[in-house]
PDB file of all heavy atoms in Angstrom:
ATOM      1  N   TYR T 306     -17.006  13.383 -69.782  1.00 95.00           N
ATOM      2  CA  TYR T 306     -16.453  14.119 -70.913  1.00 95.00           C
ATOM      3  C   TYR T 306     -15.286  13.382 -71.571  1.00 95.00           C
ATOM      4  O   TYR T 306     -14.847  13.735 -72.651  1.00 95.00           O
ATOM      5  CB  TYR T 306     -15.990  15.488 -70.413  1.00 95.00           C
ATOM      6  CG  TYR T 306     -15.621  16.475 -71.476  1.00 95.00           C
ATOM      7  CD1 TYR T 306     -16.529  16.841 -72.466  1.00 95.00           C
ATOM      8  CD2 TYR T 306     -14.371  17.063 -71.493  1.00 95.00           C
ATOM      9  CE1 TYR T 306     -16.191  17.768 -73.431  1.00 95.00           C
ATOM     10  CE2 TYR T 306     -14.022  17.994 -72.444  1.00 95.00           C
ATOM     11  CZ  TYR T 306     -14.937  18.338 -73.425  1.00 95.00           C
ATOM     12  OH  TYR T 306     -14.603  19.257 -74.380  1.00 95.00           O
ATOM     13  N   GLN T 346      -7.550  25.513 -67.010  1.00 91.00           N
ATOM     14  CA  GLN T 346      -8.081  24.406 -67.800  1.00 91.00           C
ATOM     15  C   GLN T 346      -8.793  24.827 -69.076  1.00 91.00           C
ATOM     16  O   GLN T 346      -9.145  23.991 -69.891  1.00 91.00           O
ATOM     17  CB  GLN T 346      -9.067  23.592 -66.957  1.00 91.00           C
ATOM     18  CG  GLN T 346      -8.427  22.860 -65.806  1.00 91.00           C
ATOM     19  CD  GLN T 346      -9.443  21.980 -65.113  1.00 91.00           C
ATOM     20  OE1 GLN T 346     -10.385  22.469 -64.521  1.00 91.00           O
ATOM     21  NE2 GLN T 346      -9.272  20.686 -65.229  1.00 91.00           N
ATOM     22  N   LEU T 348      -8.535  28.443 -70.726  1.00 93.00           N
ATOM     23  CA  LEU T 348      -8.223  29.637 -71.505  1.00 93.00           C
ATOM     24  C   LEU T 348      -6.741  29.748 -71.859  1.00 93.00           C
ATOM     25  O   LEU T 348      -5.878  29.282 -71.122  1.00 93.00           O
ATOM     26  CB  LEU T 348      -8.644  30.887 -70.730  1.00 93.00           C
ATOM     27  CG  LEU T 348     -10.146  31.055 -70.534  1.00 93.00           C
ATOM     28  CD1 LEU T 348     -10.424  32.221 -69.610  1.00 93.00           C
ATOM     29  CD2 LEU T 348     -10.853  31.244 -71.856  1.00 93.00           C
ATOM     30  N   GLY T 370      -7.177  23.353 -94.150  1.00 90.00           N
ATOM     31  CA  GLY T 370      -6.125  23.497 -93.159  1.00 90.00           C
ATOM     32  C   GLY T 370      -5.655  24.922 -92.944  1.00 90.00           C
ATOM     33  O   GLY T 370      -4.843  25.180 -92.080  1.00 90.00           O
ATOM     34  N   THR T 372      -6.476  28.533 -91.619  1.00 90.00           N
ATOM     35  CA  THR T 372      -7.458  29.170 -90.745  1.00 90.00           C
ATOM     36  C   THR T 372      -8.030  30.410 -91.423  1.00 90.00           C
ATOM     37  O   THR T 372      -7.372  31.054 -92.225  1.00 90.00           O
ATOM     38  CB  THR T 372      -6.820  29.598 -89.411  1.00 90.00           C
ATOM     39  OG1 THR T 372      -5.630  30.335 -89.690  1.00 90.00           O
ATOM     40  CG2 THR T 372      -6.482  28.400 -88.562  1.00 90.00           C
ATOM     41  N   GLU T 377     -13.556  33.603 -88.241  1.00 92.00           N
ATOM     42  CA  GLU T 377     -13.529  33.307 -86.807  1.00 92.00           C
ATOM     43  C   GLU T 377     -13.936  34.531 -85.992  1.00 92.00           C
ATOM     44  O   GLU T 377     -14.714  34.433 -85.047  1.00 92.00           O
ATOM     45  CB  GLU T 377     -12.124  32.879 -86.386  1.00 92.00           C
ATOM     46  CG  GLU T 377     -11.783  31.462 -86.778  1.00 92.00           C
ATOM     47  CD  GLU T 377     -10.394  31.077 -86.306  1.00 92.00           C
ATOM     48  OE1 GLU T 377     -10.053  31.389 -85.146  1.00 92.00           O
ATOM     49  OE2 GLU T 377      -9.647  30.480 -87.087  1.00 92.00           O
ATOM     50  N   ARG T 378     -13.397  35.695 -86.390  1.00 94.00           N
ATOM     51  CA  ARG T 378     -13.731  36.910 -85.652  1.00 94.00           C
ATOM     52  C   ARG T 378     -15.214  37.228 -85.780  1.00 94.00           C
ATOM     53  O   ARG T 378     -15.868  37.600 -84.816  1.00 94.00           O
ATOM     54  CB  ARG T 378     -12.897  38.082 -86.170  1.00 94.00           C
ATOM     55  CG  ARG T 378     -11.527  38.157 -85.523  1.00 94.00           C
ATOM     56  CD  ARG T 378     -10.885  39.505 -85.769  1.00 94.00           C
ATOM     57  NE  ARG T 378     -10.587  39.691 -87.183  1.00 94.00           N
ATOM     58  CZ  ARG T 378      -9.406  39.414 -87.733  1.00 94.00           C
ATOM     59  NH1 ARG T 378      -8.437  38.964 -86.981  1.00 94.00           N
ATOM     60  NH2 ARG T 378      -9.205  39.607 -89.007  1.00 94.00           N
ATOM     61  N   ARG T 383     -20.341  37.494 -83.141  1.00 92.00           N
ATOM     62  CA  ARG T 383     -21.765  37.189 -83.054  1.00 92.00           C
ATOM     63  C   ARG T 383     -22.103  36.593 -81.675  1.00 92.00           C
ATOM     64  O   ARG T 383     -23.056  37.013 -81.012  1.00 92.00           O
ATOM     65  CB  ARG T 383     -22.117  36.189 -84.158  1.00 92.00           C
ATOM     66  CG  ARG T 383     -23.578  35.947 -84.352  1.00 92.00           C
ATOM     67  CD  ARG T 383     -23.785  35.178 -85.647  1.00 92.00           C
ATOM     68  NE  ARG T 383     -23.054  33.905 -85.681  1.00 92.00           N
ATOM     69  CZ  ARG T 383     -23.439  32.818 -85.024  1.00 92.00           C
ATOM     70  NH1 ARG T 383     -24.513  32.852 -84.276  1.00 92.00           N
ATOM     71  NH2 ARG T 383     -22.739  31.703 -85.087  1.00 92.00           N
ATOM     72  N   SER T 387     -24.356  37.984 -78.492  1.00 85.00           N
ATOM     73  CA  SER T 387     -25.492  37.281 -77.903  1.00 85.00           C
ATOM     74  C   SER T 387     -25.265  37.020 -76.414  1.00 85.00           C
ATOM     75  O   SER T 387     -26.218  36.848 -75.658  1.00 85.00           O
ATOM     76  CB  SER T 387     -25.756  35.978 -78.648  1.00 85.00           C
ATOM     77  OG  SER T 387     -24.870  34.988 -78.204  1.00 85.00           O
ATOM     78  N   SER T 403     -12.890  40.372 -67.078  1.00 80.00           N
ATOM     79  CA  SER T 403     -13.264  39.985 -65.715  1.00 80.00           C
ATOM     80  C   SER T 403     -13.671  38.518 -65.700  1.00 80.00           C
ATOM     81  O   SER T 403     -13.903  37.914 -66.752  1.00 80.00           O
ATOM     82  CB  SER T 403     -14.433  40.843 -65.257  1.00 80.00           C
ATOM     83  OG  SER T 403     -15.579  40.517 -66.017  1.00 80.00           O
ATOM     84  N   ASP T 419     -21.661  22.369 -82.917  1.00 83.00           N
ATOM     85  CA  ASP T 419     -22.947  21.684 -82.849  1.00 83.00           C
ATOM     86  C   ASP T 419     -23.112  21.044 -81.478  1.00 83.00           C
ATOM     87  O   ASP T 419     -23.382  19.859 -81.374  1.00 83.00           O
ATOM     88  CB  ASP T 419     -23.023  20.593 -83.930  1.00 83.00           C
ATOM     89  CG  ASP T 419     -22.880  21.201 -85.303  1.00 83.00           C
ATOM     90  OD1 ASP T 419     -23.372  22.322 -85.481  1.00 83.00           O
ATOM     91  OD2 ASP T 419     -22.276  20.562 -86.175  1.00 83.00           O
ATOM     92  N   VAL T 452     -30.628  22.216 -75.909  1.00 92.00           N
ATOM     93  CA  VAL T 452     -29.350  21.715 -75.426  1.00 92.00           C
ATOM     94  C   VAL T 452     -29.544  21.097 -74.041  1.00 92.00           C
ATOM     95  O   VAL T 452     -30.271  21.643 -73.213  1.00 92.00           O
ATOM     96  CB  VAL T 452     -28.324  22.870 -75.328  1.00 92.00           C
ATOM     97  CG1 VAL T 452     -27.003  22.382 -74.773  1.00 92.00           C
ATOM     98  CG2 VAL T 452     -28.134  23.515 -76.683  1.00 92.00           C
TER      99      VAL T 452
ATOM    100  N   THR C   2     -28.033  23.305 -84.714  1.00 40.00           N
ATOM    101  CA  THR C   2     -26.775  23.834 -84.214  1.00 40.00           C
ATOM    102  C   THR C   2     -27.058  24.964 -83.252  1.00 40.00           C
ATOM    103  O   THR C   2     -27.995  25.735 -83.433  1.00 40.00           O
ATOM    104  CB  THR C   2     -25.909  24.375 -85.370  1.00 40.00           C
ATOM    105  OG1 THR C   2     -26.596  25.464 -85.964  1.00 40.00           O
ATOM    106  CG2 THR C   2     -25.646  23.322 -86.399  1.00 40.00           C
ATOM    107  N   LEU C   3     -26.213  25.017 -82.263  1.00 40.00           N
ATOM    108  CA  LEU C   3     -26.362  26.056 -81.256  1.00 40.00           C
ATOM    109  C   LEU C   3     -26.130  27.427 -81.848  1.00 40.00           C
ATOM    110  O   LEU C   3     -26.742  28.399 -81.484  1.00 40.00           O
ATOM    111  CB  LEU C   3     -25.330  25.829 -80.167  1.00 40.00           C
ATOM    112  CG  LEU C   3     -25.761  24.879 -79.089  1.00 40.00           C
ATOM    113  CD1 LEU C   3     -24.602  24.647 -78.171  1.00 40.00           C
ATOM    114  CD2 LEU C   3     -26.926  25.469 -78.349  1.00 40.00           C
ATOM    115  N   SER C   4     -25.224  27.456 -82.797  1.00 40.00           N
ATOM    116  CA  SER C   4     -24.803  28.759 -83.308  1.00 40.00           C
ATOM    117  C   SER C   4     -25.967  29.493 -83.959  1.00 40.00           C
ATOM    118  O   SER C   4     -25.995  30.710 -84.009  1.00 40.00           O
ATOM    119  CB  SER C   4     -23.663  28.590 -84.295  1.00 40.00           C
ATOM    120  OG  SER C   4     -23.950  27.546 -85.183  1.00 40.00           O
ATOM    121  N   THR C   7     -28.312  31.019 -80.841  1.00 37.00           N
ATOM    122  CA  THR C   7     -27.854  31.974 -79.854  1.00 37.00           C
ATOM    123  C   THR C   7     -27.904  33.409 -80.327  1.00 37.00           C
ATOM    124  O   THR C   7     -27.724  34.318 -79.560  1.00 37.00           O
ATOM    125  CB  THR C   7     -26.417  31.634 -79.440  1.00 37.00           C
ATOM    126  OG1 THR C   7     -25.688  31.383 -80.625  1.00 37.00           O
ATOM    127  CG2 THR C   7     -26.403  30.455 -78.537  1.00 37.00           C
ATOM    128  N   GLU C  31      -3.431  42.354 -82.455  1.00 46.00           N
ATOM    129  CA  GLU C  31      -3.209  40.962 -82.085  1.00 46.00           C
ATOM    130  C   GLU C  31      -1.750  40.657 -81.818  1.00 46.00           C
ATOM    131  O   GLU C  31      -1.416  39.817 -81.013  1.00 46.00           O
ATOM    132  CB  GLU C  31      -3.695  40.045 -83.212  1.00 46.00           C
ATOM    133  CG  GLU C  31      -5.170  39.766 -83.118  1.00 46.00           C
ATOM    134  CD  GLU C  31      -5.662  39.158 -84.401  1.00 46.00           C
ATOM    135  OE1 GLU C  31      -4.934  38.338 -84.981  1.00 46.00           O
ATOM    136  OE2 GLU C  31      -6.771  39.514 -84.815  1.00 46.00           O
ATOM    137  N   ARG C 213      -1.193  30.864 -90.281  1.00 93.00           N
ATOM    138  CA  ARG C 213      -2.358  30.792 -91.154  1.00 93.00           C
ATOM    139  C   ARG C 213      -2.981  29.411 -91.237  1.00 93.00           C
ATOM    140  O   ARG C 213      -3.893  29.201 -92.013  1.00 93.00           O
ATOM    141  CB  ARG C 213      -1.969  31.250 -92.567  1.00 93.00           C
ATOM    142  CG  ARG C 213      -1.665  32.733 -92.687  1.00 93.00           C
ATOM    143  CD  ARG C 213      -2.939  33.560 -92.622  1.00 93.00           C
ATOM    144  NE  ARG C 213      -2.671  34.981 -92.777  1.00 93.00           N
ATOM    145  CZ  ARG C 213      -2.460  35.806 -91.743  1.00 93.00           C
ATOM    146  NH1 ARG C 213      -2.474  35.342 -90.506  1.00 93.00           N
ATOM    147  NH2 ARG C 213      -2.233  37.085 -91.938  1.00 93.00           N
ATOM    148  N   THR C 215      -4.362  25.570 -89.338  1.00 94.00           N
ATOM    149  CA  THR C 215      -4.861  24.952 -88.107  1.00 94.00           C
ATOM    150  C   THR C 215      -3.718  24.299 -87.344  1.00 94.00           C
ATOM    151  O   THR C 215      -3.735  24.245 -86.116  1.00 94.00           O
ATOM    152  CB  THR C 215      -5.924  23.891 -88.441  1.00 94.00           C
ATOM    153  OG1 THR C 215      -5.382  22.974 -89.372  1.00 94.00           O
ATOM    154  CG2 THR C 215      -7.158  24.538 -89.038  1.00 94.00           C
ATOM    155  N   ARG C 218      -2.239  26.983 -85.253  1.00 94.00           N
ATOM    156  CA  ARG C 218      -3.119  27.353 -84.165  1.00 94.00           C
ATOM    157  C   ARG C 218      -3.069  26.301 -83.062  1.00 94.00           C
ATOM    158  O   ARG C 218      -3.035  26.606 -81.871  1.00 94.00           O
ATOM    159  CB  ARG C 218      -4.545  27.499 -84.693  1.00 94.00           C
ATOM    160  CG  ARG C 218      -5.532  28.026 -83.676  1.00 94.00           C
ATOM    161  CD  ARG C 218      -5.277  29.475 -83.321  1.00 94.00           C
ATOM    162  NE  ARG C 218      -5.535  30.354 -84.440  1.00 94.00           N
ATOM    163  CZ  ARG C 218      -6.757  30.705 -84.834  1.00 94.00           C
ATOM    164  NH1 ARG C 218      -7.811  30.258 -84.202  1.00 94.00           N
ATOM    165  NH2 ARG C 218      -6.911  31.508 -85.844  1.00 94.00           N
ATOM    166  N   ASN C 226      -1.551  26.280 -73.289  1.00 94.00           N
ATOM    167  CA  ASN C 226      -2.300  25.671 -72.202  1.00 94.00           C
ATOM    168  C   ASN C 226      -2.738  24.277 -72.638  1.00 94.00           C
ATOM    169  O   ASN C 226      -3.829  24.113 -73.186  1.00 94.00           O
ATOM    170  CB  ASN C 226      -3.509  26.537 -71.834  1.00 94.00           C
ATOM    171  CG  ASN C 226      -4.180  26.070 -70.560  1.00 94.00           C
ATOM    172  OD1 ASN C 226      -4.014  24.921 -70.141  1.00 94.00           O
ATOM    173  ND2 ASN C 226      -4.940  26.955 -69.934  1.00 94.00           N
ATOM    174  N   ALA C 229      -6.213  23.102 -71.507  1.00 94.00           N
ATOM    175  CA  ALA C 229      -7.311  23.754 -72.216  1.00 94.00           C
ATOM    176  C   ALA C 229      -7.448  23.188 -73.619  1.00 94.00           C
ATOM    177  O   ALA C 229      -8.561  22.947 -74.090  1.00 94.00           O
ATOM    178  CB  ALA C 229      -7.089  25.263 -72.264  1.00 94.00           C
ATOM    179  N   LEU C 232      -9.054  19.761 -73.371  1.00 94.00           N
ATOM    180  CA  LEU C 232     -10.479  19.818 -73.046  1.00 94.00           C
ATOM    181  C   LEU C 232     -11.291  20.469 -74.164  1.00 94.00           C
ATOM    182  O   LEU C 232     -12.513  20.417 -74.145  1.00 94.00           O
ATOM    183  CB  LEU C 232     -10.698  20.561 -71.721  1.00 94.00           C
ATOM    184  CG  LEU C 232     -10.175  19.834 -70.487  1.00 94.00           C
ATOM    185  CD1 LEU C 232     -10.426  20.643 -69.235  1.00 94.00           C
ATOM    186  CD2 LEU C 232     -10.807  18.454 -70.351  1.00 94.00           C
ATOM    187  N   THR C 357     -13.808  45.151 -63.278  1.00 40.00           N
ATOM    188  CA  THR C 357     -14.826  44.458 -62.497  1.00 40.00           C
ATOM    189  C   THR C 357     -15.329  45.272 -61.318  1.00 40.00           C
ATOM    190  O   THR C 357     -16.371  44.979 -60.766  1.00 40.00           O
ATOM    191  CB  THR C 357     -14.277  43.120 -61.944  1.00 40.00           C
ATOM    192  OG1 THR C 357     -13.062  43.393 -61.273  1.00 40.00           O
ATOM    193  CG2 THR C 357     -14.067  42.135 -63.053  1.00 40.00           C
TER     194      THR C 357
END
Side-chain angles (χ1 to χ4, degrees):
Chain T
Y306 191 57
Q346 293 186 294
L348 293 173
T372 50
E377 283 182 44
R378 275 195 294 266
R383 190 168 57 76
S387 81
S403 68
D419 300 325
V452 178
Chain C
T2 64
L3 274 174
S4 45
T7 46
E31 275 166 39
R213 290 286 182 268
T215 54
R218 186 69 67 77
N226 190 340
L232 292 180
T357 52

